[in-house]
């Protein structure tokens, strides 16, 4: 059995406050991969110092993308099966846009934007006792700021950062068009990756220009709802199977 290590679902409105944890769990559910979920609070427990990671056959594997490559290699798990080579390349590029750029704008909106930080801080660190309740969140915020600075996003003005995010969202909206999913009537990895990011932008009760931009694209909102229903339905099915088997 694969053991998935993720953050707990601590932020109302999203299945997981980490888009990468949400991505991997959604991919496992959609592909019907049996797994058990272990909640972690400390990313440094992972082999790459980040969450999510999995344990499989005694090995700990980190990074949502590398994990999915490994599951394809070992178990034949492939949500992009059926796509032609051009579509596979497009799916790859959509994932990279969402995970290597839009994710940074999302992180900025939560961790650096003063309008949202108090809510995020309460959701992620609210259970801590003093003095950890002061030390841990401010240390975490400092390291996210340093990461955003090293990546480059944090060097821009807030207006520029949110404009970059809005342009990414417009591109995604145009690519999706009127289709149910990016490549037709079946969700692929591109849909999973976009859902995991968009549900984190739209779902939580956090206002930002990024959320406003996302809500301005009806097709992206409908896509997030559609994927959210699939995510929830797959969990119910798995629960019923477990109950019947018991
Ligand atoms: N490329 C990684 C990104 C994972 C990632 O950035 N995880 C964040 C949570 S969203 C994390 O664990 N950060 C802790 C840290 O950087 O110290 C993946 O796809 O899994």
């Amino acid at each position: 059995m694969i053991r998935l290590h993720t953050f707990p679902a601590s932020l109302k409105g999203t299945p997981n406050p980490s888009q990468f944890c949400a991505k991997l769990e959604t991919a496992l559910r959609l592909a019907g991969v049996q797994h058990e979920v272990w909640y972690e609070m400390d990313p440094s427990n992972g082999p790459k110092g980040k969450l999510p990671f999995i344990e499989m056959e005694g090995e700990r594997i980190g990074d949502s993308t590398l994990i999915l490559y490994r599951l394809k290699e070992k178990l034949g798990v492939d949500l992009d099966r059926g796509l032609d080579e051009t579509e596979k390349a497009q799916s790859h590029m959509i994932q990279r846009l969402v995970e290597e750029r839009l994710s940074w704008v999302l992180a900025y909106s939560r961790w650096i934007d003063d309008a949202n930080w108090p809510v995020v801080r309460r959701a992620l660190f609210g259970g801590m006792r003093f003095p950890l309740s002061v030390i841990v969140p401010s240390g975490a915020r400092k390291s996210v700021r340093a990461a955003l600075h090293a990546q480059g996003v944090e060097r821009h003005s807030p207006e520029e950062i949110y404009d970059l995010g809005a342009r990414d969202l417009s591109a995604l909206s145009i690519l999706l068009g009127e289709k149910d999913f990016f490549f037709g009537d079946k969700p692929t990895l591109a849909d999973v990756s976009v859902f995991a990011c968009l549900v984190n932008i739209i779902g939580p009760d956090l206002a930002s220009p990024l959320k406003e931009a996302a809500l301005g694209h009806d097709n992206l909102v409908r896509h997030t709802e559609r994927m959210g229903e699939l995510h929830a339905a797959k969990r119910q099915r798995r629960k019923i199977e477990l109950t019947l088997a018991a």
Side-chain angles (χ1 to χ4, degrees):
M1 170 77 84
I2 291 170
R3 186 172 289 171
L4 168 65
H5 295 256
T6 78
F7 286 113
S10 52
L11 189 59
K12 203 162 165 260
T14 171
N16 200 291
S18 153
Q19 78 175 73
F20 299 100
C21 293
K23 169 195 160 190
L24 188 59
E25 187 167 27
T26 307
L28 294 179
R29 286 185 185 191
L30 261 52
V33 177
Q34 284 287 326
H35 62 280
E36 58 184 21
V37 179
W38 275 45
Y39 292 127
E40 291 278 348
M41 288 309 293
D42 185 0
S44 70
N45 288 332
K48 311 255 175 185
K50 285 183 182 255
L51 290 174
F53 68 95
I54 64 163
E55 282 176 76
M56 182 171 67
E57 297 170 353
E59 191 186 356
R60 292 154 83 242
I61 309 162
D63 191 284
S64 63
T65 300
L66 297 184
I67 292 166
L68 290 168
Y69 289 161
R70 186 68 79 82
L71 293 179
K72 181 175 172 188
E73 208 177 278
K74 283 249 173 194
L75 308 176
V77 172
D78 185 8
L79 286 171
D80 282 354
R81 184 178 291 128
L83 300 186
D84 66 28
E85 289 307 305
T86 305
E87 289 169 333
K88 280 185 186 163
Q90 287 164 349
S91 172
H92 178 91
M93 292 174 79
I94 291 171
Q95 291 167 63
R96 297 287 68 80
L97 171 90
V98 169
E99 295 171 25
E100 306 297 340
R101 231 284 286 283
L102 195 49
S103 65
W104 293 102
V105 181
L106 172 60
Y108 175 89
S109 75
R110 284 193 179 167
W111 290 83
I112 310 302
D113 193 326
D114 286 326
N116 288 329
W117 171 239
V119 181
V120 173
R121 180 191 170 126
R122 227 180 355 264
L124 302 187
F125 306 100
M128 285 180 175
R129 306 245 298 263
F130 183 81
L132 289 183
S133 59
V134 174
I135 298 164
V136 176
S138 69
R141 191 184 198 199
K142 216 168 148 191
S143 64
V144 172
R145 192 188 290 279
L148 284 162
H149 190 77
Q151 191 273 349
V153 160
E154 201 256 351
R155 298 163 199 238
H156 306 313
S157 69
E159 293 73 24
E160 287 168 334
I161 296 170
Y162 285 126
D163 182 56
L164 291 172
R167 288 172 191 267
D168 291 348
L169 291 166
S170 292
L172 290 172
S173 171
I174 288 167
L175 286 178
L176 178 61
E178 289 309 309
K179 300 186 292 297
D180 277 357
F181 301 106
F182 278 89
F183 298 100
D185 57 6
K186 244 180 57 196
T188 63
L189 275 180
D191 297 286
V192 170
S193 178
V194 170
F195 163 67
C197 186
L198 264 285
V199 76
N200 270 295
I201 295 174
I202 294 171
D205 194 13
L206 296 167
S208 76
L210 187 64
K211 182 170 181 170
E212 269 169 48
L215 292 176
H217 297 290
D218 285 349
N219 62 346
L220 291 182
V221 175
R222 286 196 306 273
H223 180 268
T224 308
E225 288 165 355
R226 196 173 295 124
M227 288 294 295
E229 281 161 19
L230 278 180
H231 181 277
K234 294 290 176 181
R235 183 182 59 185
Q236 275 164 18
R237 197 159 304 150
R238 195 172 70 125
K239 265 193 185 154
I240 290 164
E241 273 170 20
L242 288 174
T243 312
L244 288 177

